[in-house]
Structure formats: structure tokens, C-alpha cells
Amino acid sequence: MQWKALHNSCCRKKSTAPKKIIPHVDFSDENAKESGKALDKLFSSEQQASILHVLNTASNKELEAFTLLRGKKSLSIVEHREKFGPFQNLESLMNVPLFQYKTTIQVCNSILNPETGGKKRKLQENRLLRKLIKPEIGRERLKAINSIVSIVSGTRRIAWAHLDRQLAVLDWQQTEYCRLMKGTYLSSAYLEENSSLFPILLHFHIMEAMLYALLNTTFTRDGRHQVLSMNRNAVGKHFELMIGDTRTSGKEVVKQLLSESVLKEEPRVFFPPDKIVRYRQMFSSTEQYRIEELYDSLLQAIAFYELAVFNTES
């Protein structure tokens, strides 16, 4: 179970972009030639000139800036242009591999309305954010985040990591709390009597509700959520810790981050010089016991910045 307390401080702009051209066409092979000729009728002479200028002058990298031209399509355009010369009309684009009539229409619209690709990318990012963190939080708020406290709770201990926007570790600790629970409330005791995972899941949900209620009361501002939960497997995938649906230990990743903080001029995570010794000692003292909550709290904070915050700034 993983949590984040955010320490941080929209208006929709009406689009003035030309309306997309989505004609009703027959895509059968019999009408392919007629469809090709019809391309020139779908766009004005000025629009055709703009599209052809991009197709004939843009580099592979510049073409990839258009969402629909990423990957093999942009490379195919450049190779076709080098082999057969500049495109003379829109119909000639259909001679490029991977370009059929419908695709050509979409590409032309994308070139005329480059912001459309950006909108699609934002929609994709929003879908990813919904899978990554709950409850939903606006992109503008994510951009404004200055520091977070990442909290991970297990069956016996709780750990937290406080990182600022520069990925500097301001605080990183863990403590055992099993002494706060008595008797059969321990998950290990349930497992001795019952192999079902239900008691452990119940324990996690209870702790989740308690942490959320306590932290959100403290950090809530203007009726907006300041406490979020984060998908643990998404963090695992970000650090390549997943084997199928199973997440492996993050110990080696954290160990590498600690080493890079000392050896590299620009490490991925910065541990302040006055704290690095204490953090390394803390890690070494728990290494043989694999305190996953401690590792996860740090990795979760890093993943939150890299996946949810920095990805929204482009």
C-alpha cells in the first residue's frame, strides 16, 4: 500500500484550428485510383502547398514531431523522397509504403493541424495518469508540486521518503509498528491458521483507510486532495522490477542509486552530503533483512516525479 502527501501551491482555451476533413469514402481496391485523385480535391491549393512543403523539406526527426508520422512512416517518406524526388501532389504520397487513402487523409490533417497530435498525446497521458494515481489530479497541480512525502505501509513496518522537485532526498526513514497490534491482528498469525490472503488484504485496506483519513485531514487545502495512492506495479515496471505479474525486490536499484549519488556528477537521485553516510548505514543495516517498505518508499517517490510530474511538463 503506497501513499503520497503532496506539498504544493485551468482554463480551457477554445480551439481555433481548422475543422478536420473526414470524408465518406469507399476504401476498396477498385476505387484506389479514384480515391488517389480525389485527394487533391479535398484540400485547397494553399493547404496542398503547405502539406507538400512539409513532406518535401522536413527531416526524419521533424516528421516524427507529427504523431501519425512517428516510427516507420517518417522514415518511409524520407526514403521515398530520396529515391524518387520531391512529392508533386498529394496523390503521390499513396505510393509510399504504409500509406493508404485513409492514412494519407489523416496525415494531411495532422500536418495542417499539428496541435491535434498534441491533444491526442495529452489524452493518452491523462489515461496513464488515471491508471497511475488515484484520486485524479489536474495536470496544472502536478506541474506546481515542489515536494512530496512518499509513504509505504507493510504488515510490520512503515517507511517514508521526502523528496523535492530536484530529486534531493530530504528525509528517508522506516519504523516497525507491529507492536501497536496485538494477537490475531498480525497477518503472520492469520497465515498460520488460514492460507487465504483475505486477512492480509483486510489489514492493508484498514491501514489504507486510516492513513488516508489522517493525512488528508492534515494536508487538504481548499477542498482539494493532497494525498494520493499510487499503483505499485506501475512503479515496478518503471524500474524494470516486474517478472510477469510479480514484482521483485527493489534493493539492488536503491543500492545503485546510493552509489551513483557519490560517484556521478549528475546522479539520478541526490542524497545531501550531510545525510548520505547515515542513509548508507541505514541501508546496510537493513540489507540482509530486505526491508522492502524502505526501498519502495524511495522508488515510489522517484517514479512519481518521473512519470506523473516531469512527463506533464513537455
Side-chain angles (χ1 to χ4, degrees), residues 17 43 104 192 199 205:
F43 301 94
T104 303
E192 291 174 2
H205 283 307

Side-chain angles (χ1 to χ4, degrees), residues 6-9 137 141-142 144-147 221 224 226:
L6 311 185
H7 296 218
N8 65 342
S9 53
I137 181 172
R141 289 188 61 203
L142 287 172
I145 290 173
N146 293 316
S147 71
R221 297 174 186 172
R224 301 187 300 177
Q226 296 288 328

